[in-house]
């Protein structure tokens, strides 16, 4: 899977873990947004193909 939704609780000593994986950038964005809606969750989307955190979901780089 290309995109990983990485998640952790906002608590000391917790680490990011993969919570959801998909090949669709829009599905990753939607899942991350729902997960991040709760205040105690810290979430980001990681692109395994490019090896970086997704910063712009509308970028053509992620539609390939």
């Amino acid at each position: 899977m290309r995109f990983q939704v990485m998640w952790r609780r906002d608590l000391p000593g917790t680490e990011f873990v993969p919570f959801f994986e998909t090949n669709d950038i829009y599905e990753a964005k939607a899942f991350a947004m729902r997960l991040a809606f709760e205040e105690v969750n810290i979430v980001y989307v990681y692109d395994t193909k490019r090896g970086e955190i997704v910063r712009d979901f509308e970028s053509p780089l992620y539609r390939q």
Side-chain angles (χ1 to χ4, degrees):
M1 293 293 149
R2 179 171 177 184
F3 299 104
Q4 292 181 323
V5 176
M6 302 297 288
W7 166 85
R8 79 173 175 93
R9 290 276 185 191
D10 191 12
L11 299 171
T14 58
E15 296 183 18
F16 282 99
V17 293
F19 192 83
F20 181 73
E21 295 181 329
T22 182
N23 284 321
D24 183 359
I25 187 66
Y26 296 111
E27 185 178 28
K29 178 183 176 183
F31 203 93
M33 295 294 285
R34 280 185 261 132
L35 190 59
F37 194 69
E38 190 174 326
E39 286 184 22
V40 295
N41 292 337
I42 299 175
V43 179
Y44 69 87
V45 176
Y46 183 75
D47 181 353
T48 59
K49 181 179 176 183
R50 297 181 55 81
E52 62 186 31
I53 295 172
V54 175
R55 304 231 185 259
D56 179 10
F57 290 96
E58 301 303 320
S59 174
L61 294 173
Y62 303 117
R63 295 186 195 148
Q64 300 173 2

